[in-house]
Amino acid sequence: MGNPPQKDESLRSSEVTEGPERAPHRAMFRAMGYDDADLSSPMVGVANPAADITPCNVHLDDVSAAAIDGVDDSGGMPIEFGTITISDAISMGTEGMKASLISREVIADSVELVAFGERMDGLVTVAGCDKNLPGMMMAAVRTDLPTVFLYGGSILPGSHEGRDVTVQDVFEGVGTYAQGEMSEEELDGLERNACPGAGSCGGMFTANTMASISEALGLAPLGSAGAPAEFDERYEVAERAGELVLDCIAEDRRPSELLSKASFENAIALQVAMGGSTNAVLHLLALAAEAGIDLGVEEFDEIARRTPKIANLQPGGTKVMKDLYDVGGVPVVLRRLLDADLIDGDALTVTGRTIAEELDHLDLPDDDAIDADFLRPVSDPFSEEGAIRVLTGNLAPDGGVLKVTGDDTFHHVGPARVFENEEDAMKYVQEGHVESGDVIVIRNEGPRGGPGMREMLGVTAAVVGQGHEDDVALITDGRFSGATRGPMIGHVAPEARAGGPIAALEDGDEVTVDVPERRLEVDLSDEELAERLDGWEPGDPAYESGVLAKYGTTFGSAANGAVTNPGAKEE
């Protein structure tokens, strides 16, 4: 038989593959078809959240298989393992949505545990639905193993009555139907045509925002986010990820080497320039906390003030990720920001090259040859400021987050309509009680109060679908989908469960939402607020056992990313 190949003893996996005392371990590997060549190679975990729960993830077995081929062909030992996913779109508007943010933590925990327990040398982390992406990136940061992040790609737009449609149109159609301005047959037609196949929701919603951000952070190769799920190019990206992780292992290129304050500032600049999801604020804060990098929610506003919005994709516009891919993808946006000195081109990427070097390395179309009405030069932006605003005031001392999808001069004063949960607010909206000028307040939906900080696309879409995009505001300590549009302020902190001022609001209180001045206030004195809160009690937790009870006691504030890792937690 001869002597088997010798393994580099500096590889962590040698702890489970080398020496006579590891014969039982090797026997287990051989039962799965691994041979001497595999056992002498770097061990690469391929974390795969494939599931039939959501179109975002239904195809990920095939994406992972392409990555496995890349690892195998490059001399690695690929080991695929699974983790969970939650379909945000399917759980939306139900009690089940409370599981969504928790799933981010479970994904990070589970990938960290497998990589740690099995002594892996590197990772390819695959992601589809919204919380997969930050969860996988958090795992990469925690393990600090050489890692390549791999997005599963977005869904193609559907076609209905001669126009492109997405799931956003269906959610808003529910509100339009409730208003009596859409027939049941029309809503049924939207439903049947909005989602034509596999892939994550197509607009610049949370999944595509985080996929784009993975490039700006340097955790994924530039140009890897854009290819749709059902394009051949998606599987080429996957195979390259498998090849690249071996290079990362050989060069000992780890997330701790790649991530810096500049990386996060680049990611925020890209987010606000593209009109990305408010959820990216939460996830970037969490990633920074995991990486030990000081990042505050106020910095999103600071960067937005100096970074114009140059892309106009759904939900603010009409185009989707596939349209951006057709003109060069995320790198064309990064190039415009770099040329305007709005990002740091010296930040490193997973290839070992800087962002500036990667942009030179890619075969991108000439900037003046790009003809796209949804993408503008920095000198002629859609808005002089980026799409994210952080509002503060006596209702949100630690901030509330808004994505501007319409009028960035929005100033609104109106009476509070206070609801203790999403269901009561949705019933109020669906029954047609919303009036122009209202400020809908939904509390007890924060990270601890929910628990789980539900996204409330159902409510926000119903409000917009009833024609109130510009004359009704909504504030909450919960979250929104990336598909939410209109003057909707989420992540209000401190949350109600923690005794934040939002807990003191009463029906009829006059609330001011002032976007230009970044103010979120109620017409009450500090003394009046304090007096109300003196008599406030949080009440019993919504869940007293199980996973929701556990995370309900461990989540940190949304202002710090709602992390649960005790080593990263900040209050």
Side-chain angles (χ1 to χ4, degrees):
M1 292 177 58
N3 293 322
Q6 294 300 300
K7 189 168 196 167
D8 181 349
E9 292 186 1
S10 69
L11 293 171
R12 188 166 72 164
S13 61
S14 65
E15 296 175 27
V16 295
T17 62
E18 296 304 298
E21 69 277 14
R22 298 304 183 219
H25 306 63
R26 292 192 296 273
M28 298 289 284
F29 282 119
R30 294 186 195 284
M32 296 180 285
Y34 294 104
D35 59 19
D36 286 347
D38 294 315
L39 292 168
S40 68
S41 302
M43 186 188 297
V44 177
V46 180
N48 176 14
D52 293 341
I53 293 170
T54 170
C56 310
N57 292 50
V58 72
H59 64 303
L60 292 187
D61 277 337
D62 293 334
V63 174
S64 293
I68 288 168
D69 287 344
V71 172
D72 204 22
D73 293 345
S74 300
M77 177 181 174
I79 297 182
E80 184 179 26
F81 62 93
T83 186
I84 68 159
T85 190
I86 297 292
S87 171
D88 287 6
I90 292 175
S91 64
M92 193 76 68
T94 75
E95 187 179 15
M97 188 67 204
K98 296 181 179 184
S100 172
L101 187 61
I102 292 173
S103 77
R104 181 190 76 175
E105 304 301 299
V106 173
I107 290 166
D109 290 350
S110 63
V111 175
E112 177 189 7
L113 280 171
V114 174
F116 175 82
E118 305 308 319
R119 316 312 288 158
M120 290 175 175
D121 301 311
L123 292 168
V124 176
T125 54
V126 185
C129 200
D130 293 2
K131 304 312 170 296
N132 295 182
L133 290 88
M136 290 293 183
M137 287 187 259
M138 288 163 67
V141 173
R142 285 189 201 167
T143 63
D144 201 30
L145 292 175
T147 301
V148 179
F149 176 80
L150 173 58
Y151 182 41
S154 64
I155 198 171
L156 294 171
S159 179
H160 180 61
E161 297 181 347
R163 63 187 178 97
D164 286 349
V165 291
T166 70
V167 72
Q168 173 192 338
D169 298 284
V170 189
F171 274 103
E172 293 183 5
V174 172
T176 307
Y177 168 74
Q179 191 78 352
E181 296 179 4
M182 177 182 286
S183 70
E184 188 171 355
E185 291 75 21
E186 289 174 300
L187 183 59
D188 181 71
L190 264 179
E191 170 194 329
R192 293 178 185 278
N193 291 287
C195 300
S200 304
C201 296
M204 192 46 61
F205 310 151
T206 303
N208 280 322
T209 299
M210 293 307 299
S212 302
I213 279 172
S214 73
E215 295 188 25
L217 284 173
L219 295 176
L222 294 197
S224 63
E230 296 187 334
F231 278 24
D232 289 343
E233 290 86 348
R234 173 51 50 198
Y235 298 91
E236 294 170 7
V237 167
E239 188 167 355
R240 287 198 298 272
E243 296 166 354
L244 179 57
V245 73
L246 270 298
D247 181 60
C248 292
I249 293 171
E251 298 297 327
D252 199 28
R253 191 178 305 129
R254 300 170 181 263
S256 58
E257 177 187 349
L258 305 177
L259 295 176
S260 63
K261 187 62 178 283
S263 304
F264 282 91
E265 290 172 344
N266 287 348
I268 296 169
L270 180 69
Q271 176 197 5
V272 302
M274 295 180 72
S277 168
T278 52
N279 284 308
V281 176
L282 195 75
H283 300 325
L284 281 169
L285 288 168
L287 279 163
E290 298 279 3
I293 292 171
D294 185 23
L295 184 69
V297 68
E298 69 282 351
E299 293 178 72
F300 289 79
D301 199 78
E302 292 168 6
I303 292 171
R305 287 179 185 271
R306 65 176 185 255
T307 308
K309 181 187 175 189
I310 61 172
N312 195 34
L313 301 159
Q314 282 197 0
T318 60
K319 300 298 185 181
V320 296
M321 191 68 161
K322 190 263 183 187
D323 296 299
L324 181 61
Y325 172 71
D326 286 342
V327 297
V330 174
V332 302
V333 182
L334 288 171
R335 184 174 62 186
R336 290 185 181 188
L337 295 176
L338 179 63
D339 288 346
D341 201 25
L342 293 169
I343 62 171
D344 186 343
D346 292 331
L348 286 172
T349 77
V350 70
T351 64
R353 293 183 286 264
T354 66
I355 282 184
E357 289 168 341
E358 276 294 279
L359 289 171
D360 285 341
H361 183 75
L362 293 175
D363 183 20
L364 297 176
D366 291 338
D367 211 41
D368 55 10
I370 297 173
D371 182 16
D373 58 2
F374 61 88
L375 186 62
R376 290 185 178 175
V378 171
S379 60
D380 182 29
F382 290 99
S383 174
E384 293 295 333
E385 295 186 348
I388 294 295
R389 304 285 192 277
V390 176
L391 280 58
T392 57
N394 66 357
L395 267 183
D398 294 339
V401 180
L402 164 72
K403 177 166 75 171
V404 176
T405 59
D407 182 9
D408 62 1
T409 64
F410 184 82
H411 181 279
H412 182 92
V413 180
R417 309 298 183 201
V418 182
F419 302 93
E420 303 301 333
N421 55 59
E422 178 186 0
E423 287 82 359
D424 289 349
M426 187 64 171
K427 181 180 179 183
Y428 179 86
V429 173
Q430 289 293 80
E431 290 178 351
H433 300 306
V434 178
E435 296 181 5
S436 178
D438 281 352
V439 178
I440 298 170
V441 179
I442 308 175
R443 62 190 178 199
N444 300 310
E445 294 285 4
R448 292 192 176 186
M453 206 179 181
R454 281 192 284 187
E455 292 180 3
M456 292 181 234
L457 176 60
V459 178
T460 62
V463 170
V464 171
Q466 291 183 16
H468 291 296
E469 181 181 355
D470 300 317
D471 61 9
V472 168
L474 187 150
I475 67 172
T476 180
D477 51 10
R479 298 181 296 124
F480 301 123
S481 162
T484 288
R485 61 190 177 109
M488 317 294 181
I489 300 95
H491 307 202
V492 169
E495 63 174 294
R497 181 76 186 173
I502 192 174
L505 279 178
E506 297 176 359
D507 273 339
D509 285 342
E510 186 176 275
V511 174
T512 297
V513 177
D514 189 330
V515 174
E517 296 299 321
R518 271 57 166 188
R519 289 193 303 125
L520 181 59
E521 297 183 345
V522 59
D523 188 19
L524 295 171
S525 67
D526 292 345
E527 292 75 19
E528 288 172 306
L529 274 173
E531 184 177 348
R532 288 189 187 182
L533 288 171
D534 280 344
W536 171 84
E537 295 288 341
D540 295 332
Y543 304 87
E544 296 185 350
S545 66
V547 67
L548 273 76
K550 178 170 69 174
Y551 281 94
T553 62
T554 55
F555 271 124
S557 170
N560 296 313
V563 295
T564 60
N565 178 2
K569 201 165 184 178
E570 298 176 27
E571 294 292 353

